[in-house]
Amino acid sequence: MALNSPPPDDALRTRRFAVITALALLFFAVLTVRLWYLQVISVNRYQLLAQKNRTRYVPIAAPRGEIYDRKGRLLVGNRPAFTVAVSRQDVVDKEQLLSRLATYLHCDKQQLEQIWQKHRYYPRYRPIPLKRDIDRDTVDVLTEHSIELPGMLIEVQPVRSYPYHEAAAHLFGHIGAITEEELQLPRYSDYHAGEYIGKSGLEKHLEQYLKGVAGEKLLEVDVKGQELRQLQIREPLPGRNVILTIDRDLQLCTEHAFGDQAGAAVVIDVNNGDILAMVSRPAFDPELFAVGISNDNWRKLMNNPDHPLQARAVSGQYPPGSTYKMVTALAALDAGVITPHTSVNCTGRLPVGNRDFRCWKKTGHGPTTLRKALRESCDVWFYQVALNLGIERMSAMARQLGLGRSYALPLDNVRAGLIPDKQWKRRRYNRPWYKGETAIAAIGQGYVLATPLQLAVMMSTIANGGTLFKPQLVRQISDANGNIIKQYPAQVIHGSTLNRRHLVKVKQGLEDVVNNPRGTGKACALKTIKVAGKTGTAQVIRLKDDPADGSKPDKEKIAYRHRDHALFVAYAPADKPQIALAVIVEHGQHGGSAAAPIAKKIFQQYFGLGQARTITNHNGE
Amino acid sequence: MFDRRLLANFDWLLLALILTTAALGILNLYSSTSAWDNISTPIYTKQMYWLGIGIIIAISLTLFNYRQLEHMALPIYAACILLLAAVLLFGQTNMGATRWINLGLFNLQPSEIMKVVIIITLAAYFSRHETPGGYTFTDLIIPGLLLLVPVALIIKQPDLGTAMLLMFIGITMLLFAGIQRPTLIALGILAAGAAGGGWFLLHDYQKNRIRTFLNPESDPLGSGYHIIQSKIAVGSGGFWGRGFMHGTQSQLSFLPERHTDFVFSVFAEEWGFVGCVLLLTLYAAIILWGIHIARKADSSFGMYLAIGLTSMLFWHIIVNLGMVIGLLPVVGVPLPLFSYGGTCMVTTMIAVGLLFNISMRRFMF
């Protein structure tokens, strides 16, 4: 027998074989139980997961609703744009792809790398957009070289377009990619990362109408996200169209009339409150934001000292200056403090308490009645009348004419202005009201503040005889087929309570302002249509009341930023008013010389007096 | 030296089990790689070549008496240790691991050879040092060293899967040889301590695999991807399966490594629970038959050798399936006769050949 012949088959060995066999079977039994659990008990869950794995919902972007003017002319639309994207699953050599793309797109590779990094949490099948809105030529170049750019995709998507660029920019506002914080908000619960939403203006406030419903494709894909076949498709639903009260031609004309001056203008239909034009200058081009604004452009906008992003027409609050004098006059007539014939002798100044209040005309206007006071904008007349009237009755009239309240418009930062009274001052400063403050308020200085929109509303209320209409910007909302979804009829806030005879007297004064040779607003006079208006100057900083040598300060030498704002408010035709407007030119100094000519151009455009010159100019430039 | 009786005693049952399983494996490879471009030779065809080569190896391993291996055990072992050391010095590095020696014609993977060599070596040792009462601690120093030296060299490569398998095989043989109860308890405590300490010696990717195993959903697109997709494939197969060539997970390429380590998930998706039980039965039959061969071996060496070889097949099957169905962490262990790959096929068929050899000679006295 060999040395290593099998040992006797003892009981111990038998037991060991039994144990090892049992253990082996136990392991197989565990595997079987686990397979039973996965394949029989949890089968539904895993089949669902497998289904999700192999199918993808790919969103199809819906075009945003379009914005039209009151006559159905397109103001904001969409155009097809080409986007260069990368499908990460198909990228062979990332570095090479990015450096080649950087060459073709004429941009920095670093920049593309950054965009890639920013989107790295996208689902893997979802392409990363690297550069939006590339031009046709670049598309051709890229298509030609697509073989050496594995992973590159060119997608066509609708992109917002603003054919008039800066015109009415503050009305439309801008759009931008939804941010992570916004995605957390409940009202954006059905949005996805990468989608564009309205960020300001109408784009933001009418987002619920303008946004379309994205369509989707159900695709069967392989692990690389490559489309194998299309299982289902749901077409995208474009957003609702918005029809504004704005008149395109009037808007463009007004924009153009400002030239490169800063300021704002609002034109209102006096018979229903429709805003026909609303301009804030300087403006920005919303199209810069349509595909994501570059850091450079953003910095330029933010650092511009003229704040082009500010919608001055509704959020700029200015002292109304002399354009406030109608308020004082109407309040005094209503209160019976004066009659149209009450005369005040203007000597160029009026002492109130221990201080002298000056008239703008140092030599004084002499004996002055209401009509002359309005026509020549005599300050002393208003000081005197206001002292008898008191601030409470003056401010009540201001509110009745539409000042001091905020109007619900689908815009950002619609300001309420400020119409002061004793209670307000007590609350705000815990001080009593002083007489001098009443005098200064009578000429629209001091605490009084109004937005250009409010001044236009005030003028419209005076023009139509005292009815305060809610100013409206949106006329109706309709779906893509033209069916009306929502309409915005004219809304009367309150009917007229003004005394018709008093109003006639004030209106006479306003007509004189423009049409009398001594009027301050002659620059707005038209040959065939009678305009009524009022000039105003709003102090930016207070100059020394009385220079020691008695000389006038040299206005040309005053730094631009310290110059007064020029205002002009008006309506026309004087006998049967149709539109009212307010124009403010920042640092324009004199309402009569800086603001009235702009108003004149607006009236000419509206009444068809000039040629359509401004529009050809706009397009030609 | 060829004896006619050997042919009469040839283990036809084992051959039938092996060929049936291998055939199923090739069929499954055909399905799992059908979506690939057929530019070069298809994977399943290559696997057939490897099966052919494997059978030739298995048959040729029956041509001599396995008992001759007992005397050659030590030199073979020493040579293999040298090869493992050589790998660390001159080996080819591929994906961060140094496992291969380039021999021009093919790449030699000494750690694979070591699996069989350690079995031969330990079988030789145990058959010569049998103690009826079981081994004590001091008795285990030599076999322990025989096992731990190659394990350490393989961990260094690093190839945790193979090192772990080597440990499993060694421990199985050790336990089968018998250890005294107090020694067994002491070793158990020692092993638990070593497992705790070993965590700090693991590479980051190895730690990640274990973390991922404990919570695969924490990184569904990264290291958890394999386990998640594999479980989806297996689970969605259901009771009857999706049908041959109809698994969406495998046909649409969601399964990674679906022709190598994760080949079973393709099978499970397409053949369902029924198919899985059939396959497990085949594997269990092979293992039980291996134990039977050990039981009937004509020598103590043959018994230990058969136990070692069977445990090698057993642990490959258990670790691979456990990994694919989410019971064990992802370690790169192929499924014998199912996973594509020449190395695995050759190692498996060496084991099968030696089992044939032992089985054939059980009646020879």
Side-chain angles (χ1 to χ4, degrees), chain B residues 124-145:
Chain B
Y125 182 85
F126 290 139
S127 60
R128 283 182 194 174
H129 301 83
E130 293 211 288
T131 45
Y135 294 107
T136 62
F137 202 79
T138 43
D139 296 332
L140 287 177
I141 291 175
I142 293 174
L145 280 178

Side-chain angles (χ1 to χ4, degrees), chain B residues 20-39:
Chain B
T20 310
T21 313
L24 270 180
I26 287 165
L27 202 62
N28 190 48
L29 277 177
Y30 175 79
S31 169
S32 66
T33 60
S34 63
W36 292 9
D37 304 329
N38 288 319
I39 299 167

